[in-house]
Amino acid sequence: MDLKQDLSHYIELINKELQKYMDIYPRKNKTLIDAMNYSLMAGGKRLRPVLALASYNIFNHEIEEVLPYACGIEMIHTYSLIHDDLPAMDNDDYRRGKLTNHKVFGEGTAILAGDGLLNYAFEIMLQDAVKRKNVSPYVESMRVIAEAAGINGMIGGQIVDLESENKTIDGDTLEYIHLKKTAALITAPLKIGAIIGQASEVDIENMEFIGRNLGLAFQIRDDILDIIGENDKLGKNVGSDENKQKSTYPSIHGLEYSINKVKELTLSANEKLMKYNNASFLYELSNYLINREF
Amino acid sequence: MDLKQDLSHYIELINKELQKYMDIYPRKNKTLIDAMNYSLMAGGKRLRPVLALASYNIFNHEIEEVLPYACGIEMIHTYSLIHDDLPAMDNDDYRRGKLTNHKVFGEGTAILAGDGLLNYAFEIMLQDAVKRKNVSPYVESMRVIAEAAGINGMIGGQIVDLESENKTIDGDTLEYIHLKKTAALITAPLKIGAIIGQASEVDIENMEFIGRNLGLAFQIRDDILDIIGENDKLGKNVGSDENKQKSTYPSIHGLEYSINKVKELTLSANEKLMKYNNASFLYELSNYLINREF
């Protein structure tokens, strides 16, 4: 199998589905849809929805079953970026090499575009769920997503991140931020892929373990790239965390330790993945994520 | 029956349930919960969740069935107020006679508190739904709520409202704003009360009709009170819409026409309500809303 080919195939499926959801232009609120569309279609990596599809494919074959929930997760991820970039939060002008949402549409519209994407995520998932005969796995998946995105998940990580600016924080607090702000919404797609794919309890737990490890590895790699990466590849200013005096994994634990930690977490995830016959895509993807440069 | 006594009973049920959901203080993110709690427990009228309980009671008796969804709607309503008050939106310093969320906790935390409440609304509803045996009415209710709160509902109204500041708008646009920004989230509780109460299709449609009328009447009454009300009762500055050069129902149609419109909408809702045996609370409530002074 070819990682890049499979990845392109997944991303194409996701982009088509997302575009379908955005091809609704109500008479009166075009600005809002434009602002939502701007960030949702800004060329993100689609890592989270790809993970949902790949996890589902280990256990089942009707990929349309998981697609709306994969797209819901991507909408939630995108809303979090829009709000995170706002002047009252990280105050970033660029994201993925493009002007941030509020820089193009203004702060008020950017806040509403974020709200709109979070709400729309649940709306499209529920629109799908009401049509399902065996609805339980879908309801449980939405619960998992809400929990991962919420006050004990991503938003919980955001608030601690916000409070930690211009402060020295300890390793535990940073790990909390990374686990909640990043790993939670990387674990969720792997988990719901298994739930909707009708996997066993043990398999669902395995996917959760893999998600936690890959999510943390992914964020530490991000911290590393902020130091050693190139501006144009990352699409944001290298050293931007340092400029904001934000603690990062390397600033607390050192660069070498951080690089080893990424390897260790990935290895541990891959050990679990090796138990599955159809997990070669995820296996290769996790190896690719260790070495990614953007 | 006694309107005030029944209303107090409903409000007590709702406040207890809301407090239960908020009595979770995770180790690291107390600030976020405090900010969410501040606005959620700021002494709102609880009109929306009361409508859900009252509508449910027309058709059924196990009120606990609808309570989490009533609370979810109140959380969504509260988040919309927090974001609406932000400097980039309406820039209000006071709400219900208290400092607005961002005035107390800062803008970044207020944005996250709003996000947190919107997400938590779906989280608590889904936590309930996964435990239900006959889950369909609950999934359909969440879909109805997501639609009413979303880009074709409340948020759709917000964006047109935001774009209409310092502009002259026509009657149709104002009606769109009122229907979407206000009536949608007054219709939703009446509708889901009927859905979870196992009402017939016709009854669900009747509740939708009643909600649209009462919601529009409620907002027009709000516009009227902004002109004739007293500062301290309203908890915000009278004339504040005028100061922001916002178009209101009376500024477009005149005060007398507006007062008559409120009566007409309420009468039409009450005609439908009279068909039901157990609707006297809603009937009296809608008459009370016409004449309310805050």
Side-chain angles (χ1 to χ4, degrees):
Chain A
M1 61 139 265
D2 179 349
L3 177 73
K4 285 211 170 147
Q5 206 178 315
D6 282 15
L7 194 57
S8 302
H9 172 66
Y10 280 145
I11 291 175
E12 203 186 308
L13 271 177
I14 292 156
N15 284 341
K16 242 170 104 174
E17 184 84 355
L18 285 173
Q19 196 57 63
K20 196 187 81 187
Y21 292 122
M22 296 310 295
D23 278 345
I24 40 136
Y25 281 77
R27 185 171 53 99
K28 295 266 187 194
N29 48 19
K30 190 175 173 308
T31 314
L32 179 70
I33 310 286
D34 283 349
M36 288 164 65
N37 208 47
Y38 175 82
S39 292
L40 193 62
M41 295 306 183
K45 293 183 284 285
R46 308 297 189 212
L47 174 63
R48 289 153 193 82
V50 163
L51 291 174
L53 302 191
S55 166
Y56 176 90
N57 264 347
I58 297 177
F59 307 102
N60 229 314
H61 309 290
E62 314 271 333
I63 213 163
E64 293 73 23
E65 288 191 339
V66 75
L67 211 41
Y69 305 85
C71 288
I73 292 172
E74 184 68 5
M75 287 180 190
I76 291 173
H77 172 60
T78 305
Y79 112 76
S80 79
L81 301 181
I82 296 175
H83 283 189
D84 213 27
D85 288 337
L86 286 167
M89 310 276 278
D90 274 0
N91 194 20
D92 275 315
D93 293 351
Y94 288 92
R95 160 81 61 184
R96 295 166 181 165
K98 291 173 72 177
L99 284 170
T100 45
N101 200 289
H102 65 273
K103 281 280 160 190
V104 178
F105 296 94
E107 273 185 64
T109 301
I111 292 167
L112 286 177
D115 295 346
L117 281 167
L118 172 56
N119 193 95
Y120 199 41
F122 285 102
E123 195 174 345
I124 61 157
M125 293 190 287
L126 288 160
Q127 272 169 9
D128 180 83
V130 291
K131 289 183 291 185
R132 298 285 170 189
K133 283 221 173 85
N134 175 23
V135 74
S136 295
Y138 300 95
V139 179
E140 169 62 7
S141 292
M142 287 186 284
R143 191 199 62 74
V144 165
I145 293 167
E147 187 180 48
I151 56 180
N152 287 313
M154 186 180 69
I155 298 174
Q158 297 262 54
I159 191 79
V160 179
D161 191 30
L162 186 67
E163 290 183 315
S164 303
E165 260 177 53
N166 305 315
K167 259 192 220 166
T168 311
I169 58 171
D170 59 21
D172 280 356
T173 304
L174 185 75
E175 185 149 314
Y176 178 91
I177 294 171
H178 282 5
L179 280 174
K180 297 294 182 175
K181 193 175 166 179
T182 309
L185 215 61
I186 284 181
T187 305
L190 286 161
K191 205 172 161 184
I192 66 133
I195 294 168
I196 295 175
Q198 307 274 0
S200 70
E201 278 303 314
V202 175
D203 289 334
I204 294 169
E205 273 169 35
N206 282 343
M207 287 301 131
E208 191 165 6
F209 176 89
I210 292 162
R212 186 191 172 283
N213 279 32
L214 291 187
L216 192 53
F218 182 82
Q219 184 57 53
I220 298 172
R221 182 71 192 161
D222 226 45
D223 286 1
I224 295 168
L225 287 171
D226 194 63
I227 297 174
I228 65 167
E230 296 168 39
N231 267 346
D232 55 342
K233 281 193 184 167
L234 220 55
K236 61 179 180 180
N237 295 335
V238 166
S240 66
D241 290 343
E242 225 169 333
N243 294 341
K244 282 177 206 139
Q245 301 196 285
K246 274 199 175 186
S247 298
T248 64
Y249 216 84
S251 78
I252 291 178
H253 300 287
L255 190 58
E256 204 188 324
Y257 181 90
S258 302
I259 289 171
N260 284 331
K261 184 80 184 173
V262 171
K263 281 185 190 154
E264 186 193 298
L265 287 164
T266 308
L267 210 67
S268 167
N270 282 350
E271 261 175 44
K272 286 247 191 252
L273 278 172
M274 276 192 289
K275 293 179 187 169
Y276 296 96
N277 284 328
N278 301 318
S280 56
F281 171 81
L282 272 180
Y283 186 88
E284 288 194 32
L285 183 66
S286 82
N287 286 327
Y288 169 75
L289 290 176
I290 297 188
N291 302 307
R292 79 196 162 91
E293 285 173 17
F294 55 93
Chain B
M1 63 140 264
D2 178 350
L3 177 75
K4 285 210 171 149
Q5 205 178 315
D6 283 15
L7 193 58
S8 301
H9 172 65
Y10 280 145
I11 291 175
E12 202 185 308
L13 271 177
I14 293 156
N15 284 342
K16 242 169 105 175
E17 183 84 356
L18 285 172
Q19 196 56 62
K20 197 188 80 186
Y21 292 123
M22 296 310 294
D23 277 345
I24 40 138
Y25 282 77
R27 187 170 52 99
K28 295 268 189 192
N29 48 19
K30 190 175 172 309
T31 314
L32 179 70
I33 310 285
D34 283 349
M36 290 164 63
N37 209 46
Y38 176 81
S39 293
L40 193 61
M41 295 306 182
K45 292 185 285 285
R46 309 296 189 213
L47 173 63
R48 290 153 192 82
V50 163
L51 291 174
L53 303 191
S55 166
Y56 175 89
N57 264 347
I58 297 178
F59 307 104
N60 229 314
H61 308 291
E62 315 271 333
I63 214 164
E64 294 72 24
E65 288 191 339
V66 75
L67 210 41
Y69 304 85
C71 289
I73 292 172
E74 184 68 3
M75 286 180 191
I76 292 172
H77 172 59
T78 306
Y79 112 77
S80 79
L81 301 182
I82 296 175
H83 282 189
D84 213 28
D85 288 337
L86 286 167
M89 310 276 278
D90 274 0
N91 194 20
D92 276 315
D93 292 352
Y94 289 93
R95 159 81 61 185
R96 296 167 182 165
K98 290 175 71 178
L99 284 170
T100 45
N101 200 289
H102 65 273
K103 280 282 159 187
V104 178
F105 295 95
E107 273 185 62
T109 300
I111 292 166
L112 287 177
D115 295 346
L117 281 167
L118 172 56
N119 192 97
Y120 200 40
F122 285 103
E123 196 174 344
I124 61 158
M125 294 190 287
L126 287 160
Q127 272 169 8
D128 179 84
V130 291
K131 289 182 291 184
R132 298 284 169 191
K133 284 222 171 84
N134 174 23
V135 73
S136 296
Y138 301 95
V139 179
E140 170 62 6
S141 292
M142 288 186 283
R143 191 199 62 74
V144 165
I145 293 167
E147 189 181 47
I151 57 180
N152 288 313
M154 186 181 68
I155 299 173
Q158 297 262 54
I159 191 79
V160 179
D161 191 30
L162 186 67
E163 291 183 316
S164 302
E165 261 176 52
N166 306 314
K167 257 191 221 169
T168 311
I169 59 170
D170 58 22
D172 281 356
T173 303
L174 185 75
E175 185 149 315
Y176 179 90
I177 295 171
H178 282 6
L179 280 175
K180 298 293 182 176
K181 193 175 166 180
T182 309
L185 214 62
I186 283 181
T187 305
L190 286 161
K191 205 171 161 184
I192 66 134
I195 294 169
I196 294 176
Q198 308 274 1
S200 70
E201 278 303 315
V202 175
D203 289 335
I204 294 168
E205 272 169 37
N206 282 344
M207 287 300 130
E208 191 167 6
F209 176 87
I210 292 162
R212 186 192 174 281
N213 279 33
L214 291 187
L216 193 53
F218 181 82
Q219 184 57 54
I220 298 171
R221 182 72 193 161
D222 226 45
D223 286 2
I224 294 169
L225 287 172
D226 194 63
I227 296 174
I228 64 166
E230 297 168 38
N231 268 347
D232 55 341
K233 281 193 182 166
L234 220 56
K236 61 179 182 181
N237 296 334
V238 165
S240 68
D241 289 344
E242 223 170 334
N243 295 341
K244 281 176 205 139
Q245 302 197 286
K246 276 200 172 183
S247 297
T248 64
Y249 216 85
S251 78
I252 291 178
H253 301 287
L255 189 58
E256 203 190 322
Y257 182 90
S258 301
I259 290 171
N260 284 330
K261 184 80 184 174
V262 171
K263 281 185 192 156
E264 185 192 299
L265 287 163
T266 308
L267 209 67
S268 166
N270 282 351
E271 261 175 46
K272 287 246 191 254
L273 278 172
M274 277 192 288
K275 292 180 188 168
Y276 297 95
N277 284 328
N278 301 318
S280 55
F281 171 81
L282 272 180
Y283 187 87
E284 288 195 32
L285 182 66
S286 82
N287 285 328
Y288 169 76
L289 289 176
I290 297 188
N291 301 308
R292 77 196 161 93
E293 284 174 17
F294 54 94

